Each structure stands twice: as C-alpha cells, then as structure tokens.
C-alpha cells in the first residue's frame, strides 16, 4: 500500500527493531561497517581480533573497490594463450577463453588469468588477545540506523567497551575503546593467498611483502608493498598512545590510560606528509550516522508490522538486513562480487551475470544514484567487450562473465559461454530511465546510456540466428543460466529467449524515445523469436533440445532458470501462463532444492507473483532450505564454501519490491502478496 506523507512509516523504528545482537563468539555472526565501496567486518570484540578463528565462518575482511593484487607474471603469459577456437556452425570460428585439462603452458596461462587480479585484504585491526576462550560476557549490537557496532565484553576478567564506525566519504575506520586495563590494538598485514574462496590472508609468507612504519607524534604512516601493489594506512591516536612496530607486519597501538581512540585511513595513494586531523571519534560517528540516516530516509521502504502472519517479522528482518548489507558493501563504483567486501570468492572477481541480482533492486527501491555508480564501469569495459565480440565474429559488444576492474576476461569452460549477462546493461539502463523523475533527467539517462544499449543490442541481434526452415529466430551455441547444460547441444534455453525478447524490445523503445530509426533485424527477432518449448505433458523444457528435462537429474539441479522467463522477465508472447503454472507446480514438488542457490527463491517468488499465486510467492521467499538461510547478520548462507552470498540478498529486495509495487500492467494493492497481508510501503517503483 503506497502511503501519503501523513501516513508515512516510522523508518527508524522499523530498522532498529532488527539490529543484530551478538552475545558470544560466533564465527557466523560477524558484523560489518562500511561506506559501500569499503567495508570492515568485526568479530564479537567490535574489532578484528581473531581473524584465523573466523576465517571459515564470516571472515573479518577489510576490503575495498580499489584494493586489488596480482602475483608477478614471471613467465609472461598472454591472455591470447587461453583462447580456443570453437565452431558453432555460424559460418565463422569463434574464440573463447578456456580452461585446459592437459598440463602445459596453456593450462598455466589460463590458471594465471583466473587467479589474477584478485581482491586484496588490506589488513586487520584487533586487540592483542591470544585466547578466544577468555572472551566472556559479550554484548554486541550493530545499530543499522547509525552504522555503528558497539560491543562490551570481558577478556581475562577485564572490562572492555568498543565502538566502531566507518567514515562515509573516505576509507577510514574509527574506534573508541575504554577498559579497566592497558589497551593494546594491533594492525596486522597478511600476504595474499590467491585462493579461489577464502579470507585472502596468508599469515606465513612474511618475506614476500613489506610493512614500513613512520611515526610522528600522535600520527603514523604505514606503507605496504605487496609485489607490484603499494598502498598506505594513515593512523592517528589520542594523546598518550604509543605507536610502534611489533614485528615485520604488525603495528601496535598501546594506551595505559583506560581509553584508546584511533582512526585508520586506507588509500592507494600516498598522503601528502602526515595527515593529522585531530578529529575525535564523535565526529566520525556523527558522519556515519548522517550517511545512514540519509540512506534509510531516501527511496523506498517497507513495513510489515500490520501483517498478522507470524512469518512477516522474519521476512521484514531479512529485508532490512539485506538493505544494510547492500549499503555497506555493494554501493561502490564497481559491480560487486558474490561475497561482497567480506571475503574472496572466485578469486575476488565479480560476475556480470550476477549484476542484475546485486543491483536491480536499487532501481525498484528508487535509489538510482547508487545503481548508476557501478553502471559507469561498463563504459570503461566496453572496449574489451567489443574485442570479445570481434574475435567471435559478432558486431557490438559481448560482455564478459567473470571479470575485474580492468575488464579482463577470466578463462572458463562455463563462464565464457554464458550469455544471460548480455541483456543486463539494457535492463538496468531502463531502470535508471524509469527512476528519473522528470524529462530533463530522463533525457540525461538516454543520452548517457544510448551507446551502451545499442552496442549491447547489436550483438544480441546477430547472436540470434534465423532458422529459414521454420521461419523463426533461435538461440544456440551457449550455456544458459542453468549451467548444467552444454553449449554445443543447447538450443533455445527458455530464460534467454524471454530475456532476448524483453531486452531487444527495450532497446527498440530507447531508439523511439531518441527519435532514431528502428533496427529492422531487432523488429524481426521480436516478431519471430521462438516460443518456449514444452513436452507432451505441457511442461516447459530446460531447452528445446533438453527433451529429458524431467527424467535426467542434470536438468533438475542448479537454477530452475526456466521459471525466470516469467517472473524476472515480464509477460511476453513466448510464454503461456497455463504451461508455466503447471511447470511451476512440478518444479515446486520435484526440484533438487538442495542444489539451488540463494537467488533462486526470489526468482520463484516473482514467477508466482506474475501468475497470481501470491500465497505461494511468500512461501517461496521463506522456503526452509539451506541455501535460503539468512544469518543473524543478514547474510544469505549457502554452504561451507559460501557463507556469504549477496545475490540472494539483492534478489530478495527485488522480489519484495515487485510484490509490493507490482509490475507494468499489474492491478490492485500489493499484487504479489496475499490479500490478508497488510504490507505498508512507500517510494517503491513498479517492475517492468
């Protein structure tokens, strides 16, 4: 129910009733402060005291958009050495960045470019405690309204009170500590691991990096050299604090006065001499509170307190915590990685097929400024994307899957063949256009993103092939979102068909808005794109060629992506609602749900909503499955490898916004929720 100003929601009340509260050392209950492009995750002490203990839980990361590292390329590998020629019978060879099984230079080159660059852990800040068991009487809370973690506890019987915040405008951590004992805080700096999924901390390789300390009164400058990467940590403490180097990669801050107040600022650029701001902790706390107050008071908001269903409180908790995590870790200048700024997954790289799940909610929650920040990266990446399209014989740009700030393409025998990342740019640009609140801003969006939309659609228009026998367009030679299918035997995957139709239709409308001539081929594809294939039982297939969809486990594992053809995507002529409803019923009862991912549940909810199955939409959001678990800190837990999975959080926010504000053509109040759910909301925008 959209509300008037007189009926507006008490947003602070809703947010603070879900503040995470921790009462013991729990490695899955880490809490984060961050400004969107820099994040600092703490344990039960309010700092990063036990990084080794938490490494297999929710790790204690200090990560940024700018902090990346590569191991030296001593053998001078070239990305061209990872390419393999494939013939998908389109009249030309296509070169893909692949992984190789046989030992040799190509395999080594492929491994190098998958591993490098990787996101860099910038170092931990914690108490000089040795024994976690001596931490007792923990009482820790994250105040999401102000972005402050406050913790009280005892260590070896001594009392500690810690408050920690992140500066909103600079990559600075500030902390205020009180104790009845001497306080010693240590900054520890690891070497990167380069591992696929871990906390990125190698504490053993002391001779492979350097940590230099320069002290000037209350201030200190730490210079870090990690292979070819140099970055700096500027530290300032209150009077009476001793700053010294404790060992090769540990800097100690010690106060015997019962109070230690410090800040640590991280940068890839050397400060001009010592920067001693003499800002007290209270100033940083005030700045943090101001940023978060603006974040919560801007854009859309939802209140479930009027809903009698007992599950509503848990759904609201997930929504509020997901919003906080996104604002702390996924509001920077780069597309986010799956594990945000908490720890590395897939070598810390980000995946462009996941961009929709990370970012689309910002458009629906009416926060276009946050959505636009990482969208600007696509302009930088376009040249490399154009090169990929060219070496595969296509015009326009083909967006890579697994990538990094420099827009490199990580070799993969799956990712290189995915195509559902391709239309995201068009869809997200459309959300920016729809969120613009006047003609001037709408024109600015059109002018800014028209080139990206056209180049993206240009590739899509050529990738769809004309089948002259059946007088239709088909999609083949790709791996669909359900990654258990193979590129050389897959024709017409359903989600990709619907997305091709939707995105090309959006691109066509963009040309109309700009007064430009239509592209005839796009119009032909829209008119003649193949409908979704189904079997004799009127169940949609995982692909037109996947005739064993309902008898082969390979087709009923991983993502039930075919449901996204109506749910994530709007209604199109390619989809029959009755067939989709019957397919949904079968998937609900028979899918291998233990092999799904966090964003699958909001995807199913969106399908249910568009089919008018509101009760089931709620059931999907709260389905009691392992990969639909939301921890005390709000993180979407998947398994022992992925204890954090941010696409689940983003997908949840997208689905809930859509269920409230509806979609183009939807009727009634809260069309995705049961009529008995009195969901109050304001400022949300409908989904396409």
């Amino acid at each position: 129910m959209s509300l008037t100003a007189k009926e507006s929601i008490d947003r602070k009340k809703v947010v603070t009733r879900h503040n995470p509260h921790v009462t013991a050392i729990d490695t899955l209950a880490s809490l984060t402060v961050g400004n969107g492009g820099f994040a600092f995750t703490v344990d039960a002490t309010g700092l990063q005291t036990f990084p080794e203990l938490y490494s297999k839980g929710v790790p204690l990361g200090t990560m940024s958009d700018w902090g990346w590292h590569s191991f030296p390329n001593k053998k001078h590998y070239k990305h061209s050495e990872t390419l393999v020629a494939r013939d998908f019978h389109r009249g030309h060879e296509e070169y893909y960045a692949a992984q190789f099984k046989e030992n040799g230079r190509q395999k080594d080159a492929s491994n190098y470019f998958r591993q490098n660059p990787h996101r860099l852990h910038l170092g931990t800040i914690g108490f000089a405690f040795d024994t976690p068991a001596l931490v007792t009487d923990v009482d820790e809370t994250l105040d999401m309204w102000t972005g402050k973690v406050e913790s009280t506890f005892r260590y070896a019987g001594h009392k500690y009170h810690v408050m920690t915040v992140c500066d909103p405008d600079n990559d600075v951590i500030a902390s205020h500590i009180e104790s009845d004992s001497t306080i010693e805080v240590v900054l520890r700096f690891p070497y990167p691991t380069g591992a696929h999924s871990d906390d990125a901390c190698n504490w053993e390789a002391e001779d492979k990096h350097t940590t230099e300390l320069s002290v000037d009164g209350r201030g200190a400058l730490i210079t870090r050299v990690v292979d070819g990467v140099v970055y700096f940590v500027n530290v300032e403490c209150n009077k009476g604090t001793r700053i010294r180097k404790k060992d090769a990669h540990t800097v100690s801050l010690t106060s015997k006065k019962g109070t230690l107040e410090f800040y640590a600022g991280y940068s890839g650029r050397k400060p001009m001499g010592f920067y001693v701001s003499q800002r007290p902790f209270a100033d940083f706390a005030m700045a943090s509170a101001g940023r978060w107050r603006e974040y919560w008071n801007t854009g859309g908001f939802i209140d479930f307190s009027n809903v009698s269903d007992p599950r509503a409180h848990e759904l609201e908790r997930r929504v509020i915590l997901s919003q906080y995590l996104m604002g702390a870790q996924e509001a920077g200048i780069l597309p986010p990685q799956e594990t945000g700024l908490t720890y590395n997954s897939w070598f810390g790289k980000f995946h462009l097929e996941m961009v929709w799940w990370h970012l689309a909610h910002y458009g629906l929650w009416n926060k276009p400024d946050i959505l636009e920040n990482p969208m600007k990266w696509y302009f930088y990446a376009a040249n490399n994307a154009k090169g990929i399209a060219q070496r595969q014989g296509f015009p326009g740009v083909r967006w890579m899957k697994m990538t990094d700030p420099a827009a490199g393409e990580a070799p993969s025998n799956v990712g290189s063949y995915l195509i559902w990342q391709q239309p995201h740019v068009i869809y997200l640009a459309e959300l920016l256009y729809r969120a613009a609140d006047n003609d001037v801003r709408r024109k600015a969006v059109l002018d800014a993103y028209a080139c990206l939309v056209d180049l993206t659609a240009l590739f899509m228009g050529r990738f769809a092939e004309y089948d002259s026998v059946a007088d239709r367009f088909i999609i083949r030679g790709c791996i669909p979102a359900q990654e258990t299918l193979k590129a050389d035997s897959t024709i017409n995957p359903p989600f990709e068909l619907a997305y091709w139709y939707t995105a090309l239709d959006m691109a066509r409308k963009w040309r109309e808005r700009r007064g430009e001539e239509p592209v005839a081929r796009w119009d032909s594809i829209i008119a003649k794109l193949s409908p979704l294939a189904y079997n004799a039982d009127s169940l949609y297939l995982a692909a037109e060629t996947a005739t064993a969809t309902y008898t082969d486990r390979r087709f009923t594992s991983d993502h039930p992506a075919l449901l996204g053809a109506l749910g994530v995507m709007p209604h199109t002529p390619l989809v029959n609602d009755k067939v989709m409803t019957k397919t949904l019923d079968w998937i609900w009862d028979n899918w291998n749900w233990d092999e799904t991912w966090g964003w699958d549940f909001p995807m199913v909810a969106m399908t249910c909503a568009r089919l008018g199955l509101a009760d089931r939409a709620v059931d999907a959001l709260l389905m009691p499955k392992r990969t639909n678990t939301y921890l005390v800190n709000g993180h979407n837990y998947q398994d022992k490898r992925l204890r954090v999975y941010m696409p689940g959080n983003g997908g949840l926010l997208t689905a809930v916004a859509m269920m409230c504000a509806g979609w183009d053509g939807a009727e009634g109040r809260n069309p995705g929720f049961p009529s008995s759910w009195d969901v109050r909301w304001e400022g949300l925008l409908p989904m396409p």
Side-chain angles (χ1 to χ4, degrees):
M1 177 173 63
S2 183
L3 303 175
T4 66
K6 187 176 180 180
E7 301 171 309
S8 62
I9 298 167
D10 185 341
R11 297 189 178 199
K12 182 178 180 180
K13 182 179 180 180
V14 176
V15 170
T16 55
R17 67 176 170 236
H18 298 290
N19 285 340
H21 185 213
V22 178
T23 58
I25 287 182
D26 180 351
T27 61
L28 290 176
S30 315
L31 303 174
T32 297
V33 295
N35 58 27
F38 171 84
F40 183 83
T41 300
V42 304
D43 59 27
T45 69
L47 293 174
Q48 299 167 322
T49 303
F50 302 112
E52 292 91 342
L53 176 65
Y54 278 69
S55 64
K56 300 299 183 183
V58 175
L60 310 181
T62 305
M63 292 185 166
S64 69
D65 276 347
W66 54 263
W68 291 74
H69 167 265
S70 291
F71 293 120
N73 187 358
K74 295 179 180 180
K75 294 189 176 181
H76 306 290
Y77 297 119
K78 297 179 180 179
H79 192 270
S80 59
E81 295 178 87
T82 72
L83 301 181
V84 61
R86 296 295 304 272
D87 184 1
F88 289 110
H89 307 292
R90 288 191 269 248
H92 52 81
E93 282 191 330
E94 304 173 24
Y95 289 88
Y96 291 81
Q99 294 171 267
F100 297 86
K101 295 181 180 180
E102 295 184 6
N103 292 333
R105 186 171 174 86
Q106 281 189 301
K107 181 178 180 179
D108 294 341
S110 176
N111 289 341
Y112 181 84
F113 288 108
R114 280 180 63 78
Q115 185 183 53
N116 297 286
H118 40 260
R119 201 178 299 267
L120 184 67
H121 193 299
L122 300 174
T124 63
I125 305 176
F127 290 100
F129 298 160
D130 297 322
T131 310
L134 295 180
V135 176
T136 61
D137 302 326
V138 173
D139 186 358
E140 181 182 44
T141 300
L142 167 61
D143 182 354
M144 293 186 289
W145 189 258
T146 64
K148 179 176 68 176
V149 172
E150 186 166 4
S151 178
T152 61
F153 62 93
R154 290 179 180 269
Y155 184 78
H158 293 288
K159 296 180 180 179
Y160 289 83
H161 179 203
V162 184
M163 294 182 288
T164 301
V165 298
C166 178
D167 188 78
D169 301 314
N170 302 285
D171 296 344
V172 175
I173 294 301
S175 190
H176 177 90
I177 306 166
E178 296 178 0
S179 178
D180 60 6
S181 177
T182 296
I183 303 170
E184 183 181 8
V185 168
V186 291
L187 290 79
R188 299 173 60 202
F189 299 97
Y191 187 70
T193 64
H196 181 279
S197 299
D198 73 349
D199 65 351
C201 293
N202 179 351
W203 299 106
E204 306 299 325
E206 293 190 355
D207 60 338
K208 293 186 177 181
H209 56 127
T210 62
T211 303
E212 297 180 0
L213 173 67
S214 299
V215 181
D216 184 5
R218 293 168 50 186
L221 180 65
I222 300 169
T223 303
R224 293 275 297 136
V225 180
V226 188
D227 298 316
V229 176
V230 180
Y231 69 96
F232 304 89
V233 186
N234 196 75
V235 180
E236 184 181 343
C237 307
N238 58 325
K239 290 182 179 179
T241 302
R242 181 188 181 193
I243 306 174
R244 64 188 176 92
K245 195 171 181 182
K246 196 169 184 178
D247 60 37
H249 302 292
T250 304
V251 173
S252 170
L253 316 177
T254 307
S255 174
K256 296 183 178 181
K257 294 189 174 183
T259 301
L260 173 57
E261 194 166 281
F262 72 89
Y263 79 69
Y266 298 78
S267 177
R269 297 180 179 180
K270 185 175 183 179
M272 298 297 291
F274 286 104
Y275 174 64
V276 181
S277 69
Q278 298 185 351
R279 285 180 66 187
F281 173 80
D283 281 2
F284 288 103
M286 186 180 299
S288 173
R291 184 259 175 167
W292 281 103
R293 184 169 57 248
E294 181 181 9
Y295 177 83
W296 290 116
N297 283 323
T298 302
F301 202 82
I302 300 176
D303 177 7
F304 289 87
S305 60
N306 282 5
V307 180
S308 59
D309 190 315
R311 299 175 298 169
H313 182 81
E314 170 59 16
L315 183 55
E316 183 182 89
R317 183 188 78 88
R318 295 182 182 193
V319 167
I320 294 297
L321 285 166
S322 294
Q323 285 180 277
Y324 178 82
L325 289 171
M326 291 293 169
Q329 302 196 41
E330 301 211 344
I333 61 172
L334 292 179
Q337 70 157 324
E338 258 67 334
T339 43
L341 296 174
T342 304
Y343 73 101
N344 278 352
S345 55
W346 287 275
F347 306 104
K349 291 179 166 63
F350 41 92
H351 293 183
L352 295 193
E353 93 280 19
M354 286 291 100
V355 163
W356 193 94
W357 297 99
H358 287 288
L359 300 177
H361 64 93
Y362 284 125
L364 304 186
W365 286 77
N366 207 3
K367 295 178 182 286
D369 53 327
I370 301 180
L371 171 57
E372 191 161 19
N373 283 335
M375 283 287 286
K376 294 175 182 176
W377 173 86
Y378 280 94
F379 292 101
Y380 173 80
N383 191 53
N384 282 8
K386 184 177 181 181
I388 294 172
Q390 287 178 341
R391 64 171 153 84
Q392 294 173 359
F394 297 103
V397 295
R398 180 171 187 170
W399 301 109
M400 61 288 292
K401 189 267 197 196
M402 178 174 158
T403 186
D404 55 69
E409 183 186 19
S412 172
N413 290 339
V414 174
S416 296
Y417 301 92
L418 293 179
I419 59 167
W420 67 293
Q421 71 272 21
Q422 184 69 16
H424 288 342
V425 176
I426 299 174
Y427 193 106
L428 295 176
E430 176 69 10
L431 292 184
L432 287 175
Y433 177 83
R434 293 160 67 102
D437 56 6
N438 59 55
D439 289 342
V440 173
R441 291 181 179 175
R442 282 188 284 272
K443 184 178 185 303
V445 172
L446 288 174
D447 290 344
Y449 292 94
C451 180
L452 287 184
V453 169
D454 278 350
L455 286 172
T456 299
L458 186 60
F459 170 87
M460 295 174 63
R462 286 299 169 187
F463 193 86
E465 300 174 64
Y466 180 63
D467 174 8
S468 60
V469 175
D471 189 26
R472 62 173 186 164
F473 283 88
I474 64 172
I475 293 175
R476 65 188 180 95
C478 63
I479 293 178
Q482 186 180 357
E483 295 181 5
T484 55
L485 281 69
K486 298 178 180 180
D488 55 3
S489 59
T490 295
I491 297 176
N492 285 339
F495 177 71
E496 284 73 8
L497 283 172
Y499 210 171
W500 244 242
Y501 183 101
T502 298
L504 286 176
D505 191 43
M506 288 177 175
R508 178 184 60 79
K509 290 176 182 176
W510 269 57
R511 294 186 70 84
E512 287 180 359
R513 291 166 182 163
R514 303 192 321 266
E516 297 187 7
E517 292 295 320
V519 177
R521 186 174 177 88
W522 301 355
D523 291 342
S524 296
I525 294 171
I526 291 168
K528 295 185 177 182
L529 193 58
S530 302
L532 274 62
Y534 53 87
N535 65 13
D537 295 323
S538 293
L539 298 173
Y540 279 127
L541 301 175
E544 184 176 306
T545 45
T547 54
T549 292
Y550 297 95
T551 57
D552 186 339
R553 184 181 178 86
R554 176 165 66 97
F555 298 120
T556 56
S557 303
D558 198 65
H559 309 294
L562 57 88
L563 294 180
L566 178 61
V568 177
M569 293 296 107
H571 282 84
T572 69
L574 311 183
V575 180
N576 180 292
D577 282 14
K578 291 183 179 179
V579 177
M580 185 60 81
T581 301
K582 190 172 182 181
T583 304
L584 169 67
D585 290 340
W586 191 96
I587 288 175
W588 192 281
D589 294 335
N590 298 283
W591 200 262
N592 294 303
W593 290 105
D594 57 341
E595 298 181 28
T596 53
W597 298 69
W599 57 265
D600 291 329
F601 303 96
M603 177 178 68
V604 174
M606 287 185 274
T607 302
C608 294
R610 291 199 196 253
L611 290 172
L613 304 171
D615 287 287
R616 189 174 282 190
V618 173
D619 292 343
L621 290 181
L622 295 168
M623 193 180 293
K625 303 296 180 182
R626 186 194 70 247
T627 53
N628 199 31
T629 299
Y630 284 74
L631 303 173
V632 66
N633 48 30
H635 279 300
N636 179 209
Y637 179 91
Q638 302 297 284
D639 53 30
K640 291 182 178 180
R641 184 185 66 167
L642 287 173
R643 291 86 66 193
V644 169
Y645 191 62
M646 302 290 274
N649 299 96
L652 171 70
L653 294 176
T654 300
V656 170
M658 174 251 215
M659 291 162 66
C660 286
W663 52 93
D664 294 347
E667 297 179 356
R669 170 189 169 210
N670 294 326
F673 282 102
S675 58
S676 60
W677 278 55
D678 182 15
V679 183
R680 302 171 71 238
W681 59 271
E682 56 195 19
L684 301 173
L685 299 176
M687 196 173 182

